[in-house]
C-alpha cells in the first residue's frame, strides 16, 4: 500500500485545528473560549486515537493527533493562567475599594 492509499484518521485534523484555536483564542480573545476549544481538541484527539488503534495499518496522520493534544494542553494551561491572573486582578481592585483607597 503506498502513502496515497492510506486514509487520514477521522478527527485528527479537527484535533489539530481545535488545539490551534485554543491557543489563539486564549491569547487574543479571552480564556474561556480557549478552554472550550481545548476540551474539544482533547476529545477529538482521543476519538481519533481510538480509530487509529483499532486499525493502525490503514491510517495516516497520527502526528496531527499528537500535535493537537499538545496544543490543546498548552491552550488549557494558558486559559488557567489567565483565569488565575484575572481573579488576582479583580481581587486586588475589590480589596482597594473595600479599604477605601479609591475615594
Amino acid at each position: 500500500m503506498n502513502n496515497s492509499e492510506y486514509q487520514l484518521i477521522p478527527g485528527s485534523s479537527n484535533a489539530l485545528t481545535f488545539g490551534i484555536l485554543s491557543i489563539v483564542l486564549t491569547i487574543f480573545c479571552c480564556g474561556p473560549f480557549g478552554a472550550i476549544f481545548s476540551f474539544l481538541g482533547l476529545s477529538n484527539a482521543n476519538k481519533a486515537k481510538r480509530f487509529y488503534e483499532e486499525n493502525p495499518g490503514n491510517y495516516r496522520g497520527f502526528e496531527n493527533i499528537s500535535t493537537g493534544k499538545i496544543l490543546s494542553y498548552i491552550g488549557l494551561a494558558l486559559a488557567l493562567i489567565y483565569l488565575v491572573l484575572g481573579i488576582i486582578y479583580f481581587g486586588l481592585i475589590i480589596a482597594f475599594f473595600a479599604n477605601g483607597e479609591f475615594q
Side-chain angles (χ1 to χ4, degrees), residues 19-56:
I20 293 168
L21 283 174
S22 71
I23 293 175
V24 171
L25 290 176
T26 298
I27 292 174
F28 294 112
C29 184
C30 60
F33 289 120
I36 291 168
F37 281 101
S38 293
F39 291 124
L40 289 173
L42 291 171
S43 172
N44 278 307
N46 289 334
K47 287 179 191 174
K49 187 176 179 184
R50 273 185 259 139
F51 272 113
Y52 181 78
E53 289 173 346
E54 286 176 5
N55 200 350

Side-chain angles (χ1 to χ4, degrees), residues 77-96:
L78 287 173
L80 291 175
I81 290 170
Y82 273 55
L83 176 68
V84 169
L85 291 176
I87 290 171
I88 291 171
Y89 176 75
F90 288 112
L92 288 174
I93 289 174
I94 292 170
F96 281 133

Side-chain angles (χ1 to χ4, degrees), residues 63-86:
E63 61 277 355
N64 288 349
I65 297 172
S66 304
T67 306
K69 191 177 275 194
I70 291 168
L71 291 175
S72 293
Y73 281 128
I74 292 171
L76 186 60
L78 287 173
L80 291 175
I81 290 170
Y82 273 55
L83 176 68
V84 169
L85 291 176

